[in-house]
Amino acid sequence: MPMDLHRRHIGMRIIKTVIAVFLCGLLAFIRNTSALFSMFAALFCIQKSTGQTIESSVNRMLGTLVGGVVGVLTVYAMDVLNILHIDLLRYFLMALLLIPVIELCLVIKKPDCAGMACMVVMCLVVDPGDKPAIYSIERLFETLVGVALACGIDILLPHHPHPPKEEAPREEAGPPEEAP
C-alpha cells in the first residue's frame, strides 16, 4: 500500500480511546488494583459515534453480567461435584456450556453481547482461582469502570475538532473496470 494513502492525522476516536485507557490505569493505580479489564472495556467500547459507544457499552456490561452469572454457577457446580480440578473435563464442559450462553443472548435479543458473555465464562471456568465469585464481581466492577469512563469521555469530548480537509479523489492502480 503506498504511503500517501495512509491517514496522517490522529482522529478523535483514537484520542478518546487513549484518554479513557489512561484514566482506567490511573484509577486502578489509585485503588491499587489491576487495570486490565477496565482498559479492555474502554478500548472496545469507544465507537464512531456516542450512540454506538453507548450501545457497545450496554452490550459489554450485559455480556459480562450473563457470563459472570453462568461462570460462577458453573465453577460452583463443578466444585460441589468435585470435578473442578479435572482440567480436560472442565474444558470440555465449558465448551459445551457456550451453546446455552449464546442461545440465552439470542433469546434476550442481544446477540452482540454473546461474544463477551462467552469470554467471561471462559475466563472464570478456565482459571477459577481461589474465590471465583469474588473474582467475577471484581471483573464486573472493573468492566463497569472502563465502560463508564469510555462513555463519559465519548460524551464530553467532541467527535471532530475540525472538519477534515477535502482532498481530490486519488486514482488507485488496479484492474480496469469492465464496460457495461
Side-chain angles (χ1 to χ4, degrees):
M1 175 183 260
M3 240 352 211
D4 60 349
L5 293 179
H6 183 70
R7 211 170 74 174
R8 292 194 175 118
H9 73 281
I10 296 174
M12 282 306 293
R13 183 174 175 190
I14 295 170
I15 292 169
K16 290 176 183 187
T17 301
V18 168
I19 291 170
V21 167
F22 173 73
L23 289 176
C24 289
L26 180 63
L27 281 176
F29 177 79
I30 291 168
R31 292 179 17 244
N32 194 28
T33 188
S34 171
L36 187 62
F37 287 93
S38 63
M39 288 177 167
F40 282 159
L43 176 71
F44 291 113
C45 284
I46 294 186
Q47 300 294 314
K48 293 178 186 175
S49 70
T50 301
Q52 289 173 328
T53 295
I54 291 169
E55 181 180 342
S56 172
S57 300
V58 168
N59 285 333
R60 184 151 186 105
M61 282 308 300
L62 186 57
T64 301
L65 184 61
V66 167
V69 168
V70 171
V72 168
L73 292 175
T74 301
V75 170
Y76 178 75
M78 288 179 170
D79 194 31
V80 167
L81 295 171
N82 205 24
I83 61 172
L84 184 59
H85 300 290
I86 304 172
D87 291 346
L88 196 55
L89 179 59
R90 186 174 73 242
Y91 301 153
F92 176 72
L93 292 174
M94 180 210 56
L96 287 178
L97 189 61
L98 298 180
I99 296 169
V101 169
I102 294 168
E103 287 295 324
L104 175 61
C105 294
L106 295 175
V107 166
I108 64 172
K109 299 189 184 325
K110 287 291 188 181
D112 292 339
C113 75
M116 177 55 51
C118 290
M119 187 174 80
V120 172
V121 168
M122 290 187 286
C123 286
L124 296 175
V125 177
V126 167
D127 187 16
D130 296 334
K131 301 175 182 174
I134 292 171
Y135 177 79
S136 65
I137 291 168
E138 288 173 351
R139 297 302 76 79
L140 184 63
F141 177 74
E142 286 179 30
T143 300
L144 179 60
V145 167
V147 165
L149 284 171
C151 287
I153 294 296
D154 196 43
I155 290 167
L156 292 175
L157 295 180
H159 280 281
H160 301 287
H162 53 288
K165 294 178 186 175
E166 290 289 326
E167 293 184 25
R170 295 187 182 142
E171 295 263 340
E172 288 188 42
E177 293 183 28
E178 292 183 27

